[in-house]
PDB file of all heavy atoms in Angstrom:
ATOM      1  N   ILE A   1     -67.885 -48.820   0.631  1.00 97.00           N
ATOM      2  CA  ILE A   1     -67.615 -50.265   1.072  1.00 97.00           C
ATOM      3  C   ILE A   1     -68.854 -50.749   1.825  1.00 97.00           C
ATOM      4  O   ILE A   1     -69.234 -51.926   1.650  1.00 97.00           O
ATOM      5  CB  ILE A   1     -66.326 -50.344   1.869  1.00 97.00           C
ATOM      6  CG1 ILE A   1     -65.123 -50.151   0.959  1.00 97.00           C
ATOM      7  CG2 ILE A   1     -66.251 -51.639   2.628  1.00 97.00           C
ATOM      8  CD1 ILE A   1     -63.890 -49.924   1.678  1.00 97.00           C
ATOM      9  N   THR A   2     -69.363 -49.907   2.755  1.00 95.00           N
ATOM     10  CA  THR A   2     -70.572 -50.400   3.632  1.00 95.00           C
ATOM     11  C   THR A   2     -71.953 -50.202   2.833  1.00 95.00           C
ATOM     12  O   THR A   2     -72.959 -50.493   3.355  1.00 95.00           O
ATOM     13  CB  THR A   2     -70.538 -49.704   4.848  1.00 95.00           C
ATOM     14  OG1 THR A   2     -70.618 -48.262   4.693  1.00 95.00           O
ATOM     15  CG2 THR A   2     -69.292 -49.946   5.750  1.00 95.00           C
ATOM     16  N   HIS A   3     -71.901 -49.750   1.576  1.00 95.00           N
ATOM     17  CA  HIS A   3     -73.075 -49.431   0.838  1.00 95.00           C
ATOM     18  C   HIS A   3     -74.036 -48.519   1.456  1.00 95.00           C
ATOM     19  O   HIS A   3     -75.223 -48.576   1.361  1.00 95.00           O
ATOM     20  CB  HIS A   3     -73.877 -50.726   0.458  1.00 95.00           C
ATOM     21  CG  HIS A   3     -72.964 -51.686  -0.290  1.00 95.00           C
ATOM     22  ND1 HIS A   3     -72.592 -51.570  -1.622  1.00 95.00           N
ATOM     23  CD2 HIS A   3     -72.219 -52.842   0.206  1.00 95.00           C
ATOM     24  CE1 HIS A   3     -71.793 -52.473  -2.012  1.00 95.00           C
ATOM     25  NE2 HIS A   3     -71.614 -53.325  -0.953  1.00 95.00           N
ATOM     26  N   GLN A   4     -73.526 -47.424   2.175  1.00 90.00           N
ATOM     27  CA  GLN A   4     -74.343 -46.436   2.838  1.00 90.00           C
ATOM     28  C   GLN A   4     -74.498 -45.235   1.823  1.00 90.00           C
ATOM     29  O   GLN A   4     -73.755 -44.212   2.155  1.00 90.00           O
ATOM     30  CB  GLN A   4     -73.672 -46.015   4.159  1.00 90.00           C
ATOM     31  CG  GLN A   4     -73.742 -47.148   5.171  1.00 90.00           C
ATOM     32  CD  GLN A   4     -73.136 -46.646   6.429  1.00 90.00           C
ATOM     33  OE1 GLN A   4     -72.681 -45.613   6.670  1.00 90.00           O
ATOM     34  NE2 GLN A   4     -73.227 -47.643   7.539  1.00 90.00           N
ATOM     35  N   PHE A   5     -75.200 -45.408   0.927  1.00 90.00           N
ATOM     36  CA  PHE A   5     -75.478 -44.344  -0.108  1.00 90.00           C
ATOM     37  C   PHE A   5     -76.617 -43.414   0.402  1.00 90.00           C
ATOM     38  O   PHE A   5     -77.735 -43.658   0.230  1.00 90.00           O
ATOM     39  CB  PHE A   5     -75.806 -44.900  -1.490  1.00 90.00           C
ATOM     40  CG  PHE A   5     -74.830 -45.873  -1.977  1.00 90.00           C
ATOM     41  CD1 PHE A   5     -75.150 -47.238  -2.020  1.00 90.00           C
ATOM     42  CD2 PHE A   5     -73.488 -45.532  -2.320  1.00 90.00           C
ATOM     43  CE1 PHE A   5     -74.137 -48.236  -2.525  1.00 90.00           C
ATOM     44  CE2 PHE A   5     -72.689 -46.472  -2.779  1.00 90.00           C
ATOM     45  CZ  PHE A   5     -72.864 -47.747  -2.888  1.00 90.00           C
ATOM     46  N   ASN A   6     -76.164 -42.322   1.063  1.00 90.00           N
ATOM     47  CA  ASN A   6     -77.155 -41.483   1.787  1.00 90.00           C
ATOM     48  C   ASN A   6     -76.644 -40.030   1.711  1.00 90.00           C
ATOM     49  O   ASN A   6     -75.658 -39.801   1.061  1.00 90.00           O
ATOM     50  CB  ASN A   6     -77.388 -41.875   3.223  1.00 90.00           C
ATOM     51  CG  ASN A   6     -76.109 -41.980   4.052  1.00 90.00           C
ATOM     52  OD1 ASN A   6     -75.291 -41.221   3.810  1.00 90.00           O
ATOM     53  ND2 ASN A   6     -76.163 -43.000   4.897  1.00 90.00           N
ATOM     54  N   TYR A   7     -77.262 -39.156   2.271  1.00 88.00           N
ATOM     55  CA  TYR A   7     -76.994 -37.711   2.297  1.00 88.00           C
ATOM     56  C   TYR A   7     -75.610 -37.472   2.856  1.00 88.00           C
ATOM     57  O   TYR A   7     -74.959 -36.385   2.535  1.00 88.00           O
ATOM     58  CB  TYR A   7     -78.047 -36.812   2.845  1.00 88.00           C
ATOM     59  CG  TYR A   7     -78.241 -37.178   4.379  1.00 88.00           C
ATOM     60  CD1 TYR A   7     -77.619 -36.413   5.394  1.00 88.00           C
ATOM     61  CD2 TYR A   7     -79.160 -38.093   4.786  1.00 88.00           C
ATOM     62  CE1 TYR A   7     -77.815 -36.739   6.693  1.00 88.00           C
ATOM     63  CE2 TYR A   7     -79.305 -38.436   6.064  1.00 88.00           C
ATOM     64  CZ  TYR A   7     -78.686 -37.682   7.102  1.00 88.00           C
ATOM     65  OH  TYR A   7     -78.832 -38.072   8.436  1.00 88.00           O
ATOM     66  N   VAL A   8     -75.079 -38.268   3.740  1.00 90.00           N
ATOM     67  CA  VAL A   8     -73.794 -37.993   4.311  1.00 90.00           C
ATOM     68  C   VAL A   8     -72.702 -38.141   3.305  1.00 90.00           C
ATOM     69  O   VAL A   8     -71.757 -37.403   3.160  1.00 90.00           O
ATOM     70  CB  VAL A   8     -73.488 -38.975   5.518  1.00 90.00           C
ATOM     71  CG1 VAL A   8     -72.128 -38.744   6.024  1.00 90.00           C
ATOM     72  CG2 VAL A   8     -74.637 -38.855   6.600  1.00 90.00           C
ATOM     73  N   LEU A   9     -72.878 -39.078   2.296  1.00 92.00           N
ATOM     74  CA  LEU A   9     -72.037 -39.269   1.320  1.00 92.00           C
ATOM     75  C   LEU A   9     -71.939 -38.040   0.296  1.00 92.00           C
ATOM     76  O   LEU A   9     -70.896 -37.566  -0.085  1.00 92.00           O
ATOM     77  CB  LEU A   9     -72.349 -40.509   0.438  1.00 92.00           C
ATOM     78  CG  LEU A   9     -71.461 -40.828  -0.814  1.00 92.00           C
ATOM     79  CD1 LEU A   9     -70.054 -41.124  -0.326  1.00 92.00           C
ATOM     80  CD2 LEU A   9     -72.111 -42.087  -1.566  1.00 92.00           C
ATOM     81  N   ILE A  10     -73.053 -37.366   0.197  1.00 92.00           N
ATOM     82  CA  ILE A  10     -73.168 -36.107  -0.612  1.00 92.00           C
ATOM     83  C   ILE A  10     -72.382 -35.007   0.147  1.00 92.00           C
ATOM     84  O   ILE A  10     -71.608 -34.254  -0.616  1.00 92.00           O
ATOM     85  CB  ILE A  10     -74.588 -35.758  -0.790  1.00 92.00           C
ATOM     86  CG1 ILE A  10     -75.346 -36.722  -1.675  1.00 92.00           C
ATOM     87  CG2 ILE A  10     -74.642 -34.296  -1.380  1.00 92.00           C
ATOM     88  CD1 ILE A  10     -76.881 -36.550  -1.698  1.00 92.00           C
ATOM     89  N   VAL A  11     -72.487 -34.962   1.420  1.00 91.00           N
ATOM     90  CA  VAL A  11     -71.617 -33.962   2.157  1.00 91.00           C
ATOM     91  C   VAL A  11     -70.179 -34.256   1.957  1.00 91.00           C
ATOM     92  O   VAL A  11     -69.366 -33.288   1.787  1.00 91.00           O
ATOM     93  CB  VAL A  11     -72.015 -33.927   3.704  1.00 91.00           C
ATOM     94  CG1 VAL A  11     -71.297 -32.845   4.432  1.00 91.00           C
ATOM     95  CG2 VAL A  11     -73.574 -33.593   3.751  1.00 91.00           C
ATOM     96  N   TYR A  12     -69.805 -35.532   2.140  1.00 92.00           N
ATOM     97  CA  TYR A  12     -68.358 -35.858   1.856  1.00 92.00           C
ATOM     98  C   TYR A  12     -67.821 -35.392   0.459  1.00 92.00           C
ATOM     99  O   TYR A  12     -66.849 -34.781   0.321  1.00 92.00           O
ATOM    100  CB  TYR A  12     -68.110 -37.323   1.947  1.00 92.00           C
ATOM    101  CG  TYR A  12     -67.925 -37.923   3.340  1.00 92.00           C
ATOM    102  CD1 TYR A  12     -68.756 -38.610   4.011  1.00 92.00           C
ATOM    103  CD2 TYR A  12     -66.641 -37.656   3.957  1.00 92.00           C
ATOM    104  CE1 TYR A  12     -68.494 -39.246   5.218  1.00 92.00           C
ATOM    105  CE2 TYR A  12     -66.350 -38.235   5.210  1.00 92.00           C
ATOM    106  CZ  TYR A  12     -67.283 -38.936   5.827  1.00 92.00           C
ATOM    107  OH  TYR A  12     -67.089 -39.498   7.067  1.00 92.00           O
ATOM    108  N   ILE A  13     -68.748 -35.623  -0.514  1.00 94.00           N
ATOM    109  CA  ILE A  13     -68.270 -35.373  -1.872  1.00 94.00           C
ATOM    110  C   ILE A  13     -68.221 -33.813  -1.984  1.00 94.00           C
ATOM    111  O   ILE A  13     -67.326 -33.222  -2.630  1.00 94.00           O
ATOM    112  CB  ILE A  13     -69.323 -35.889  -2.907  1.00 94.00           C
ATOM    113  CG1 ILE A  13     -69.034 -37.443  -2.875  1.00 94.00           C
ATOM    114  CG2 ILE A  13     -69.125 -35.364  -4.246  1.00 94.00           C
ATOM    115  CD1 ILE A  13     -70.179 -38.238  -3.650  1.00 94.00           C
ATOM    116  N   LEU A  14     -69.203 -33.004  -1.525  1.00 94.00           N
ATOM    117  CA  LEU A  14     -69.084 -31.510  -1.613  1.00 94.00           C
ATOM    118  C   LEU A  14     -67.909 -30.968  -0.884  1.00 94.00           C
ATOM    119  O   LEU A  14     -67.111 -30.158  -1.390  1.00 94.00           O
ATOM    120  CB  LEU A  14     -70.337 -30.888  -0.924  1.00 94.00           C
ATOM    121  CG  LEU A  14     -71.731 -31.073  -1.721  1.00 94.00           C
ATOM    122  CD1 LEU A  14     -72.821 -30.569  -0.853  1.00 94.00           C
ATOM    123  CD2 LEU A  14     -71.555 -30.345  -3.029  1.00 94.00           C
ATOM    124  N   ASN A  15     -67.565 -31.601   0.247  1.00 95.00           N
ATOM    125  CA  ASN A  15     -66.314 -31.136   0.964  1.00 95.00           C
ATOM    126  C   ASN A  15     -65.008 -31.473   0.187  1.00 95.00           C
ATOM    127  O   ASN A  15     -64.170 -30.573   0.115  1.00 95.00           O
ATOM    128  CB  ASN A  15     -66.276 -31.786   2.383  1.00 95.00           C
ATOM    129  CG  ASN A  15     -67.239 -31.105   3.386  1.00 95.00           C
ATOM    130  OD1 ASN A  15     -67.820 -30.188   3.071  1.00 95.00           O
ATOM    131  ND2 ASN A  15     -67.337 -31.706   4.456  1.00 95.00           N
ATOM    132  N   ILE A  16     -65.025 -32.687  -0.420  1.00 96.00           N
ATOM    133  CA  ILE A  16     -63.790 -32.988  -1.120  1.00 96.00           C
ATOM    134  C   ILE A  16     -63.586 -32.130  -2.316  1.00 96.00           C
ATOM    135  O   ILE A  16     -62.485 -31.739  -2.816  1.00 96.00           O
ATOM    136  CB  ILE A  16     -63.653 -34.455  -1.385  1.00 96.00           C
ATOM    137  CG1 ILE A  16     -62.151 -34.859  -1.777  1.00 96.00           C
ATOM    138  CG2 ILE A  16     -64.492 -34.961  -2.459  1.00 96.00           C
ATOM    139  CD1 ILE A  16     -61.965 -36.361  -1.804  1.00 96.00           C
ATOM    140  N   LEU A  17     -64.736 -31.754  -2.920  1.00 96.00           N
ATOM    141  CA  LEU A  17     -64.727 -30.928  -4.193  1.00 96.00           C
ATOM    142  C   LEU A  17     -64.160 -29.544  -3.782  1.00 96.00           C
ATOM    143  O   LEU A  17     -63.316 -29.024  -4.487  1.00 96.00           O
ATOM    144  CB  LEU A  17     -66.100 -30.822  -4.809  1.00 96.00           C
ATOM    145  CG  LEU A  17     -66.617 -32.039  -5.519  1.00 96.00           C
ATOM    146  CD1 LEU A  17     -68.032 -31.833  -5.995  1.00 96.00           C
ATOM    147  CD2 LEU A  17     -65.788 -32.432  -6.672  1.00 96.00           C
ATOM    148  N   ILE A  18     -64.593 -29.021  -2.718  1.00 95.00           N
ATOM    149  CA  ILE A  18     -64.213 -27.697  -2.270  1.00 95.00           C
ATOM    150  C   ILE A  18     -62.651 -27.754  -1.856  1.00 95.00           C
ATOM    151  O   ILE A  18     -61.974 -26.851  -2.273  1.00 95.00           O
ATOM    152  CB  ILE A  18     -64.958 -27.088  -1.162  1.00 95.00           C
ATOM    153  CG1 ILE A  18     -66.477 -26.813  -1.700  1.00 95.00           C
ATOM    154  CG2 ILE A  18     -64.377 -25.794  -0.633  1.00 95.00           C
ATOM    155  CD1 ILE A  18     -67.473 -26.510  -0.718  1.00 95.00           C
ATOM    156  N   VAL A  19     -62.236 -28.779  -1.143  1.00 96.00           N
ATOM    157  CA  VAL A  19     -60.892 -28.735  -0.777  1.00 96.00           C
ATOM    158  C   VAL A  19     -60.019 -29.057  -2.058  1.00 96.00           C
ATOM    159  O   VAL A  19     -58.890 -28.532  -2.130  1.00 96.00           O
ATOM    160  CB  VAL A  19     -60.624 -30.008   0.211  1.00 96.00           C
ATOM    161  CG1 VAL A  19     -59.167 -30.207   0.559  1.00 96.00           C
ATOM    162  CG2 VAL A  19     -61.420 -29.609   1.564  1.00 96.00           C
ATOM    163  N   SER A  20     -60.567 -29.787  -2.987  1.00 97.00           N
ATOM    164  CA  SER A  20     -59.776 -29.895  -4.331  1.00 97.00           C
ATOM    165  C   SER A  20     -59.579 -28.653  -4.987  1.00 97.00           C
ATOM    166  O   SER A  20     -58.618 -28.469  -5.680  1.00 97.00           O
ATOM    167  CB  SER A  20     -60.463 -30.933  -5.186  1.00 97.00           C
ATOM    168  OG  SER A  20     -60.483 -32.317  -4.488  1.00 97.00           O
ATOM    169  N   LEU A  21     -60.538 -27.761  -4.845  1.00 97.00           N
ATOM    170  CA  LEU A  21     -60.506 -26.448  -5.538  1.00 97.00           C
ATOM    171  C   LEU A  21     -59.291 -25.649  -4.801  1.00 97.00           C
ATOM    172  O   LEU A  21     -58.655 -24.985  -5.423  1.00 97.00           O
ATOM    173  CB  LEU A  21     -61.764 -25.750  -5.374  1.00 97.00           C
ATOM    174  CG  LEU A  21     -62.904 -26.101  -6.319  1.00 97.00           C
ATOM    175  CD1 LEU A  21     -64.162 -25.342  -6.071  1.00 97.00           C
ATOM    176  CD2 LEU A  21     -62.518 -25.942  -7.765  1.00 97.00           C
ATOM    177  N   ASN A  22     -59.221 -25.867  -3.502  1.00 97.00           N
ATOM    178  CA  ASN A  22     -58.033 -25.269  -2.788  1.00 97.00           C
ATOM    179  C   ASN A  22     -56.825 -25.750  -3.318  1.00 97.00           C
ATOM    180  O   ASN A  22     -55.872 -25.027  -3.317  1.00 97.00           O
ATOM    181  CB  ASN A  22     -58.183 -25.579  -1.189  1.00 97.00           C
ATOM    182  CG  ASN A  22     -59.009 -24.479  -0.525  1.00 97.00           C
ATOM    183  OD1 ASN A  22     -58.522 -23.343  -0.465  1.00 97.00           O
ATOM    184  ND2 ASN A  22     -60.069 -24.716  -0.095  1.00 97.00           N
ATOM    185  N   LEU A  23     -56.733 -27.060  -3.679  1.00 97.00           N
ATOM    186  CA  LEU A  23     -55.573 -27.584  -4.202  1.00 97.00           C
ATOM    187  C   LEU A  23     -55.155 -26.968  -5.596  1.00 97.00           C
ATOM    188  O   LEU A  23     -54.062 -26.579  -5.830  1.00 97.00           O
ATOM    189  CB  LEU A  23     -55.681 -29.095  -4.408  1.00 97.00           C
ATOM    190  CG  LEU A  23     -54.491 -29.917  -4.912  1.00 97.00           C
ATOM    191  CD1 LEU A  23     -53.335 -29.908  -3.960  1.00 97.00           C
ATOM    192  CD2 LEU A  23     -54.911 -31.385  -5.218  1.00 97.00           C
ATOM    193  N   VAL A  24     -56.226 -26.747  -6.412  1.00 98.00           N
ATOM    194  CA  VAL A  24     -55.987 -26.071  -7.706  1.00 98.00           C
ATOM    195  C   VAL A  24     -55.522 -24.650  -7.485  1.00 98.00           C
ATOM    196  O   VAL A  24     -54.564 -24.240  -8.121  1.00 98.00           O
ATOM    197  CB  VAL A  24     -57.331 -26.063  -8.566  1.00 98.00           C
ATOM    198  CG1 VAL A  24     -57.274 -25.134  -9.725  1.00 98.00           C
ATOM    199  CG2 VAL A  24     -57.709 -27.530  -8.946  1.00 98.00           C
ATOM    200  N   VAL A  25     -56.187 -23.955  -6.535  1.00 98.00           N
ATOM    201  CA  VAL A  25     -55.670 -22.586  -6.273  1.00 98.00           C
ATOM    202  C   VAL A  25     -54.268 -22.617  -5.716  1.00 98.00           C
ATOM    203  O   VAL A  25     -53.518 -21.651  -5.963  1.00 98.00           O
ATOM    204  CB  VAL A  25     -56.686 -21.959  -5.242  1.00 98.00           C
ATOM    205  CG1 VAL A  25     -56.133 -20.501  -4.744  1.00 98.00           C
ATOM    206  CG2 VAL A  25     -58.013 -21.734  -5.866  1.00 98.00           C
ATOM    207  N   TYR A  26     -53.942 -23.536  -4.935  1.00 98.00           N
ATOM    208  CA  TYR A  26     -52.488 -23.667  -4.445  1.00 98.00           C
ATOM    209  C   TYR A  26     -51.598 -23.686  -5.572  1.00 98.00           C
ATOM    210  O   TYR A  26     -50.556 -22.910  -5.641  1.00 98.00           O
ATOM    211  CB  TYR A  26     -52.397 -24.917  -3.627  1.00 98.00           C
ATOM    212  CG  TYR A  26     -50.844 -25.191  -3.253  1.00 98.00           C
ATOM    213  CD1 TYR A  26     -50.238 -24.543  -2.221  1.00 98.00           C
ATOM    214  CD2 TYR A  26     -50.076 -25.963  -4.095  1.00 98.00           C
ATOM    215  CE1 TYR A  26     -48.951 -24.705  -1.931  1.00 98.00           C
ATOM    216  CE2 TYR A  26     -48.755 -26.153  -3.812  1.00 98.00           C
ATOM    217  CZ  TYR A  26     -48.161 -25.523  -2.718  1.00 98.00           C
ATOM    218  OH  TYR A  26     -46.832 -25.713  -2.397  1.00 98.00           O
ATOM    219  N   PHE A  27     -51.793 -24.562  -6.716  1.00 98.00           N
ATOM    220  CA  PHE A  27     -50.828 -24.592  -7.815  1.00 98.00           C
ATOM    221  C   PHE A  27     -50.943 -23.266  -8.627  1.00 98.00           C
ATOM    222  O   PHE A  27     -49.835 -22.824  -9.148  1.00 98.00           O
ATOM    223  CB  PHE A  27     -51.163 -25.819  -8.522  1.00 98.00           C
ATOM    224  CG  PHE A  27     -50.652 -27.073  -7.890  1.00 98.00           C
ATOM    225  CD1 PHE A  27     -51.542 -27.971  -7.437  1.00 98.00           C
ATOM    226  CD2 PHE A  27     -49.230 -27.374  -7.729  1.00 98.00           C
ATOM    227  CE1 PHE A  27     -51.052 -29.098  -6.784  1.00 98.00           C
ATOM    228  CE2 PHE A  27     -48.841 -28.445  -7.115  1.00 98.00           C
ATOM    229  CZ  PHE A  27     -49.716 -29.377  -6.644  1.00 98.00           C
TER     230      PHE A  27
END
């Protein structure tokens, strides 16, 4: 929303991917 396309966004995306893998493993 704030158009802050920087390395912090990449860290957010990496974290959500790993947590999403935990979701897959849960099921």
Side-chain angles (χ1 to χ4, degrees):
I1 289 168
T2 59
H3 302 287
Q4 292 181 356
F5 305 110
N6 54 36
Y7 60 93
V8 178
L9 181 60
I10 294 167
V11 179
Y12 272 111
I13 292 169
L14 288 173
N15 284 354
I16 198 170
L17 288 173
I18 294 171
V19 175
S20 295
L21 286 174
N22 268 293
L23 184 63
V24 170
V25 170
Y26 171 83
F27 286 110

